[in-house]
Each structure stands twice: as C-alpha cells, then as structure tokens.
Amino acid sequence: MRRSRQSFTDRLFFAVLPDAATAERISERAAAWRAAHGLTGRLLKAGHFHVTLASVHEGHGLPDADEIDGWMARASGILMPSFCVGFDRLMSFSNGALVLTGDDSTVGMEVLQQRLCDSLDDTPRPARRYTPHVTLLHDGHHIEPEPVEPITWTVREVVLVHSLIGQTTHRHVARIPLG
C-alpha cells in the first residue's frame, strides 16, 4: 500500500538562506505586496525564507545518521566560491505560491543547484529544469509576473534543513561553507 505524500511528517532539503537582515527586508516587502494585491495567504516566517536546491528525504522521522553523513560528505565536495544572488520579479506559480524569481541574477544559484544535484546523484544527468525562487506565501489568487526592486545577498553557504511538515518548524541540521 502506498502512503500519500501528505502523511509525511519530516522533510530534509539543501537550501540557501538569506542573511537575517535580508530576510527581514523580504518579509517587509512581502507584506506590502500581499496588501497591494489583495492576497489573504499567510506570509512565511522571515526565518523560513530560503531557496531550495535539492530535497533528499521525505518520510516519517529522519533517516539514520549514516545516510545524512553520506549526503553531507557528497555535498561538501562542491567547489564553488561565494556569489551574489538577486531576485527582481514577483509572480505566482501554478500551485498558488507567490514567489520572488530572477533572470541573469540567479545564474549562480542554477550552477550551485546543478553541482549539488550532480554530487548527490550516482549518475549525473544533463541540467535539470530549475527555477530559483523564494516562496513568500500561498494564495488562491494568482498575480501576473511583475518587476520589483531587486533583493540581493551574498550566498556563502548551503544549509541542510529539517522541516517538520505542517508545523512551520525548520531546523538547521548542518552548514557547508562555499569558497
């Protein structure tokens, strides 16, 4: 019997997080965009803003420590310097997520994601379809893409995040510095 994805309690994923000051800026601007567009979805907590790079586990509880250590060892082998990322467009995804995205200013994120996925995959594949984004909220009302003043920060590390699904709780399991 197959369990539904909705019954999972735990998720582990690699992500890039904005620094605290940038997360607060995102939160303030997201509140203004929410009001300006008449959206009613609940804003994510500032401490939950992130750019997902790769999901490695979804299930009940966490995998054993050896499996987590294996992912960390693989991810630690990525050779990439720190870089600046910027998000300059607000839009809705088809799933109702209101997100920040970008074009040329997210290329470093695309390279990092590809390198991370290659390091985690026993058989590296061609580039995967990937749209770097920061989710702000979920809402049934969709907005058309619009340019916004860029939000930028320097990416200095990748974080392994443990999300307790449905509990709005993120725990940072480990950090991998870039550079």
Side-chain angles (χ1 to χ4, degrees):
M1 175 185 260
R2 235 178 120 142
R3 287 197 167 119
S4 88
R5 180 182 174 148
Q6 297 164 352
S7 67
F8 291 145
T9 58
D10 298 85
R11 179 179 298 127
L12 277 175
F13 60 92
F14 284 99
V16 166
L17 312 177
D19 58 81
T22 302
E24 283 303 319
R25 244 184 358 266
I26 293 170
S27 185
E28 290 166 6
R29 292 184 57 196
W33 293 322
R34 178 180 181 264
H37 289 285
L39 303 176
T40 58
R42 187 176 51 169
L43 291 167
L44 269 65
K45 296 177 182 177
H48 286 202
F49 292 133
H50 66 274
V51 181
T52 300
L53 298 170
S55 183
V56 291
H57 170 79
E58 212 168 57
H60 299 281
L62 291 175
D64 63 43
D66 289 342
E67 192 167 5
I68 294 172
D69 290 345
W71 293 323
M72 293 305 299
R74 287 178 174 214
S76 295
I78 297 171
L79 298 176
M80 187 152 177
S82 296
F83 61 92
C84 185
V85 65
F87 297 92
D88 59 6
R89 191 169 10 145
L90 184 68
M91 66 181 288
S92 293
F93 280 172
S94 61
N95 68 357
L98 181 68
V99 301
L100 283 172
T101 63
D103 287 320
D104 295 341
S105 57
T106 63
V107 170
M109 197 68 72
E110 293 172 33
V111 171
L112 176 59
Q113 188 266 351
Q114 180 68 42
R115 289 181 181 176
L116 176 63
C117 288
D118 285 351
S119 74
L120 296 171
D121 193 342
D122 290 330
T123 7
R125 296 172 272 159
R128 297 145 178 90
R129 188 165 186 260
Y130 176 67
T131 303
H133 64 278
V134 177
T135 300
L136 307 173
L137 60 86
H138 286 87
D139 196 280
H141 177 73
H142 290 229
I143 68 161
E144 291 298 316
E146 66 182 58
V148 295
E149 183 182 334
I151 294 177
T152 62
W153 75 86
T154 301
V155 176
R156 293 185 169 87
E157 65 183 1
V158 172
V159 180
L160 181 61
V161 178
H162 173 207
S163 172
L164 296 171
I165 298 171
Q167 297 182 38
T168 63
T169 299
H170 283 182
R171 296 179 180 147
H172 301 164
V173 176
R175 297 174 183 274
I176 300 167
L178 298 179

